[in-house]
Amino acid sequence: MKSAVGSVKSNSLSFVLSEFKEITKAKLAVSVVFSSIAGYFLGATKLDIVSIALLAFGGYCMVGASNAYNQIIEKDLDAIMKRTKNRPLPSGRMSVRTALTIAILMTLLGVVTLYILNPKTAMFGAISIFLYTSVYTPLKTKTPLSVFVGAIPGAIPFMLGWVAATNDFGIEPGTLFMVQFFWQFPHFWALGWMLDEDYRKGGFKMLPTGKKDAGTALQIILYTIWMIVISIMPVFGFTGRLHLSIPAAVVVLMAGLVMLVFAFRLYEKRDNGAARRLMLASVTYISLIQIVYVLDKFIS
């Protein structure tokens, strides 16, 4: 009997954790935290475990809150799309009240935690939530320019880590912001290309031309080129304390050129397979260059 009760409790806890991970989009949140910690390593003159823990916890809370608000707002649209219809809210496994409680608590915890680091970090975290939920989310069904707006909060994490470490915003975190800002266009347009049919069901306008055509593919190529240019800028000494050695810059450049090849292949083939390969290449690229930036700092 005791083992049966224990099994029920275990299953209940597992279910709650599973739903929490879905409403906060745990994989996405963890990748954002990774970007923030990479930015912290780049900005810090000495590493502080407590600060890193606060940044990780606060960062997860802010991203998790944004994702929860997003799913609350888009609950009815999510129910229409195959990709999202089994999320906690449209499936009915979680109530809007519960999701809103989670979102509000995580917002408060996130802002307070980041404020302990410094007020600037909390401010940028709060701006990220506001733009994502109050501007980007409503615009997704109105105009393809929503991707441009969404790229702003999406680019904050890499920058946020530097601000958390230094309590300062200048050319260095600005450069980190621009790297991740330009990266998001090929990444999300490749994703939008793959999921275009499903997005259309929900009324989302994610592709720049509204179609899976040469115009969209060309814009992906152009933004990928800008991403590469920004990513290697620190090697030229224009970016303050943010440096990149020549060998590291070569690695970053080669990674960018690989991604550019996938972008050209999408222009050539214009199919979902090419879009998927570009999307996966973009995920590899952003993680790789963040690791290269950090390793280069400590090795150099």
Side-chain angles (χ1 to χ4, degrees), residues 66 69-75 77 128-147 149-150 153 202-206:
S66 296
Y69 287 127
N70 173 264
Q71 290 182 60
I72 292 167
I73 296 167
E74 295 181 348
K75 175 176 69 72
L77 298 179
S128 177
I129 288 183
F130 174 78
L131 288 176
Y132 190 85
T133 60
S134 301
V135 185
Y136 166 66
T137 297
L139 281 178
K140 286 164 69 178
T141 57
K142 307 295 183 185
T143 172
L145 289 174
S146 62
V147 175
V149 176
F204 295 118
K205 305 177 189 297
M206 304 304 290

Side-chain angles (χ1 to χ4, degrees), residues 222-264:
L222 293 175
Y223 276 90
T224 301
I225 291 171
W226 273 112
M227 175 200 74
I228 294 169
V229 171
I230 299 297
S231 295
I232 62 173
M233 270 185 57
V235 77
F236 298 108
F238 302 144
T239 52
R241 289 202 299 116
L242 182 63
H243 300 293
L244 201 59
S245 68
I246 291 176
V250 170
V251 173
V252 170
L253 176 61
M254 294 303 295
L257 291 177
V258 169
M259 188 169 156
L260 186 60
V261 168
F262 283 107
F264 272 107

